[in-house]
Amino acid sequence: MIEMNLLETLAAFDTYGTLSASSIHLHISQPALSRSMQKLEEELGVKLFERTKNRMALNSTGKLAASYARQILNMEKEMTTAVINHDRSLHTISVGYCAPSPRMEIPNMLSRLYPDIANLSDLQTEAELLKGLYQNRYTMIILSHPMEDPDLGCMYYGSEQMYFSVVPAHPVAVYKDQGVPFSALDGETFLQAGNVGIWENIKKQKLPHSNFIRESDLNSLNTIINSSTLPGFATDVTIRLFRSEQNKNRIFVPITDPEATIHFYCVYLKNNTTKLQKWIDYLKSNS
């Protein structure tokens, strides 16, 4: 049985071409690396290198062996990732989100439905969420669009509407009932949370002339908002969750552009249907 570390040294030598560069990459001494190469040749019973006084290079057999070594190392890495993800999936429900608000709501719902199973959350781009779903890093993901794939289940979760958060003296505060477009405040400087997921691209596209002051800590952000006249952002979800405690001196003006409303969909691999049945039934009962 060939040891994995021998395959690692062979692959590194094939990549870096010299003992010195390979030893630096592997954090081992050149003599130790040279001994590993000799041991691998002994185990395989073939010559892998052409050696001269000042140089060592892979021969054609060595290059073939290095190609297989790299494939085996990649498979070992894939196996480790797959096994760890599978074992974690047995004890957790891991959810990936494209926006912060569903992330504020769903974990509590899952805790009530699955009191004995931990639930993990992650905020990522939609491309990363789909990649993670297919790799079983996520039990389910929340996207801003439905998915049509025979291997996937997809259910509507809900929607979110964006608002401008302004002080009463701001000119757009009088439009709190009818709303305004993004363009009404384009060019102003805004306060905002550090990571707003999919909303980030929407704001950049619709407010191209604006600047954004970001604060990742929500408590600090709310302290700044309550002592500032700069506009910020809110959604119907965050207003419902936090209005009674925070931003009491703010007027929330709905944004009328269609991009200011996002519809969320819960997407999961169909082979996780049994595990998610309580959640699926919950969504059906509340649709």
Side-chain angles (χ1 to χ4, degrees):
M1 181 71 67
I2 299 174
E3 299 172 15
M4 296 299 293
N5 69 297
L6 299 182
L7 299 181
E8 290 174 353
T9 57
L10 179 61
F13 186 85
D14 184 40
T15 299
Y16 295 97
T18 65
L19 284 174
S20 59
S22 302
S23 64
I24 292 172
H25 171 74
L26 295 169
H27 304 290
I28 62 175
S29 67
Q30 291 187 41
L33 178 60
S34 182
R35 288 193 296 271
S36 294
M37 296 296 91
Q38 292 173 357
K39 182 177 180 180
L40 182 59
E41 286 182 313
E42 291 171 2
E43 291 200 9
L44 291 172
V46 297
K47 185 178 179 182
L48 301 176
F49 301 91
E50 296 295 338
R51 294 177 174 86
T52 62
K53 184 177 181 180
N54 298 315
R55 186 172 180 272
M56 187 170 81
L58 288 169
N59 59 25
S60 61
T61 304
K63 289 184 178 296
L64 178 63
S67 175
Y68 275 105
R70 192 169 285 106
Q71 292 179 48
I72 292 168
L73 291 169
N74 287 337
M75 290 179 65
E76 189 256 354
K77 182 178 180 181
E78 290 176 8
M79 183 197 76
T80 300
T81 299
V83 169
I84 290 173
N85 287 341
H86 175 74
D87 183 70
R88 186 176 67 175
S89 74
L90 299 177
H91 310 290
T92 62
I93 293 177
S94 181
V95 187
Y97 300 91
C98 68
S101 292
R103 192 183 187 188
M104 297 175 187
E105 298 181 307
I106 291 177
N108 288 334
M109 301 176 191
L110 291 176
S111 294
R112 291 195 297 269
L113 293 170
Y114 303 92
D116 299 323
I117 297 180
N119 69 82
L120 305 177
S121 65
D122 189 22
L123 186 63
Q124 282 287 355
T125 65
E126 294 196 319
E128 284 298 315
L129 292 177
L130 278 168
K131 179 180 177 182
L133 182 68
Y134 285 116
Q135 292 177 344
N136 288 309
R137 284 192 286 116
Y138 300 119
T139 314
M140 65 180 183
I141 57 177
I142 304 299
L143 301 179
S144 65
H145 56 86
M147 290 292 299
E148 294 184 3
D149 184 314
D151 295 325
L152 299 178
C154 181
M155 297 188 67
Y156 180 71
Y157 169 70
S159 65
E160 185 175 24
Q161 164 75 42
M162 182 182 280
Y163 289 69
F164 287 126
S165 166
V166 298
V167 294
H170 194 284
V172 304
V174 297
Y175 298 102
K176 63 180 181 179
D177 294 324
Q178 59 266 53
V180 295
F182 277 107
S183 59
L185 272 72
D186 187 24
E188 296 202 28
T189 296
F190 289 89
L191 300 168
Q192 75 157 63
N195 187 353
V196 293
I198 197 170
W199 288 115
E200 186 66 35
N201 289 335
I202 294 173
K203 286 190 291 187
K204 286 181 178 179
Q205 292 169 6
K206 302 300 292 186
L207 297 165
H209 305 102
S210 291
N211 295 313
F212 303 95
I213 299 173
R214 306 171 195 279
E215 173 54 61
S216 298
D217 183 81
L218 293 182
N219 289 328
S220 297
L221 176 63
N222 282 300
T223 298
I224 296 169
I225 288 175
N226 285 325
S227 61
S228 172
T229 59
L230 291 176
F233 300 97
T235 71
D236 53 348
V237 176
T238 60
I239 293 169
R240 171 168 49 83
L241 292 177
F242 303 121
R243 179 63 190 272
S244 62
E245 304 171 10
Q246 302 162 350
N247 306 338
K248 295 178 181 179
N249 64 332
R250 290 276 164 158
I251 302 296
F252 300 105
V253 181
I255 302 172
T256 55
D257 303 67
E259 293 87 349
T261 299
I262 292 180
H263 298 283
F264 294 115
Y265 296 84
C266 174
V267 180
Y268 55 92
L269 292 173
K270 286 185 177 177
N271 59 19
N272 279 326
T273 299
T274 300
K275 182 175 184 177
L276 292 171
Q277 195 60 58
K278 290 181 181 178
W279 172 249
I280 294 169
D281 292 342
Y282 175 84
L283 290 182
K284 287 180 179 177
S285 67
N286 287 274
S287 61

